[in-house]
Amino acid sequence: MTAAKGLFLTFEGVEGSGKSTQMRLVAGRLRGLGHTVVETVEPGGTRIGKQIRSILLEAAHQELSATAELLLFFASRAQAVDEIIAPALAAGHIVISDRFTDSTLVYQGAARGLGRDVVIELDRISCQGIAPKLTLCLDLEIEAGLARARSRNRQAGDTETRLDDESLAFHRKVRQAYHDLAQREPERVKLVDAGAGIEEVAAEIGSLVEPLLAPCEN
Ligand code: TYD
């Protein structure tokens, strides 16, 4: 149930799949068509969310428990829903989020083994019934994506790498869980081959988004 009149889109995918680049491209394209587009990112997105992000992702925070991790991802999300997503949708805008509850389903629910039910229940508590209309899941071989992500982290001197640093087996479970999700909800969750060129991927994403667009107000 989406209690709002705007359009909510999310980007999902394994590490290094190029989802942030594609999100910027589609946002620019939609703005070019005259839509108001609000972009947000998880964890983060808000001032409070950025602080939660650093607790979650800082590589030094090895002792963070799986339950605390789960709850912090939802704390960041609840703040983003209240502060950014719900108001923008109520105003009729397009909202695009770089990751949302599907990330928690696959990383914490599946790869960490906490299960689907607890994630769905926390979503119910945190998200005001707001759910994405379309989820673009960028799919890539784990090895290629991790190599990309890790070299980017090194170059940027990024220390928010606690999740990137998880084992290959963990990231394989993440990818498998995205595939399972796409099979479970084929209408909403679309797997996009991120191994293709940037323009090709952007064109595929465009063709999935365009049918959902309402005529814009201006
Ligand atoms: P980030 O550096 O933003 O990576 P990416 O560019 O791949 O999105 O880090 C976010 C990390 O947090 C990423 O490894 C996925 C993970 N994550 C979860 O485990 N659960 C969640 O609910 C969310 C939103 C992200």
Side-chain angles (χ1 to χ4, degrees):
M1 172 199 62
T2 304
K5 50 195 175 86
L7 174 63
F8 186 31
L9 308 174
T10 57
F11 275 81
E12 293 284 346
V14 294
E15 316 298 323
S17 58
K19 106 192 122 43
S20 310
T21 304
Q22 290 298 333
M23 182 167 144
R24 269 197 305 278
L25 287 174
V26 79
R29 190 162 158 176
L30 294 172
R31 287 191 184 105
L33 293 171
H35 296 277
T36 302
V37 180
V38 175
E39 292 172 74
T40 182
V41 59
E42 293 207 355
T46 63
R47 192 164 65 95
I48 302 286
K50 285 193 181 80
Q51 297 206 30
I52 299 172
R53 176 183 174 90
S54 115
I55 298 173
L56 276 165
L57 300 186
E58 194 51 55
H61 295 173
Q62 291 298 317
E63 74 276 29
L64 188 66
S65 80
T67 307
E69 177 185 276
L70 171 72
L71 295 172
L72 285 169
F73 276 116
F74 270 108
S76 171
R77 182 163 307 136
Q79 186 68 32
V81 167
D82 272 16
E83 200 180 313
I84 300 177
I85 300 174
L89 291 175
H93 301 326
I94 297 177
V95 178
I96 313 182
S97 185
D98 186 343
R99 299 192 180 280
F100 199 65
T101 296
D102 295 315
S103 281
T104 323
L105 275 172
V106 305
Y107 282 81
Q108 283 66 48
R112 285 259 191 265
L114 299 180
R116 182 180 172 85
D117 293 352
V118 67
V119 177
I120 298 295
E121 181 61 10
L122 288 169
D123 178 274
R124 191 187 62 72
I125 294 166
S126 313
C127 299
Q128 302 182 21
I130 290 172
K133 177 88 179 159
L134 174 69
T135 296
L136 300 147
C137 181
L138 271 62
D139 184 47
L140 189 65
E141 291 290 338
I142 290 302
E143 289 82 352
L146 277 179
R148 232 200 250 183
R150 285 175 180 163
S151 110
R152 185 182 58 197
N153 291 341
R154 266 196 306 277
Q155 275 173 20
D158 191 357
T159 57
E160 292 189 341
T161 59
R162 198 177 55 86
L163 271 294
D164 295 353
D165 296 342
E166 283 287 345
S167 67
L168 213 53
F170 179 89
H171 289 288
R172 287 214 175 92
K173 283 189 204 159
V174 166
R175 186 179 187 209
Q176 183 57 50
Y178 275 128
H179 285 224
D180 295 346
L181 198 63
Q183 216 165 30
R184 189 181 179 116
E185 292 185 69
E187 287 305 307
R188 175 179 70 87
V189 182
K190 306 290 183 189
L191 283 184
V192 174
D193 177 10
I198 290 185
E199 292 306 323
E200 210 176 312
V201 176
E204 185 177 351
I205 290 172
S207 72
L208 291 165
V209 171
E210 265 155 35
L212 302 178
L213 299 177
C216 46
E217 54 290 0
N218 37 350

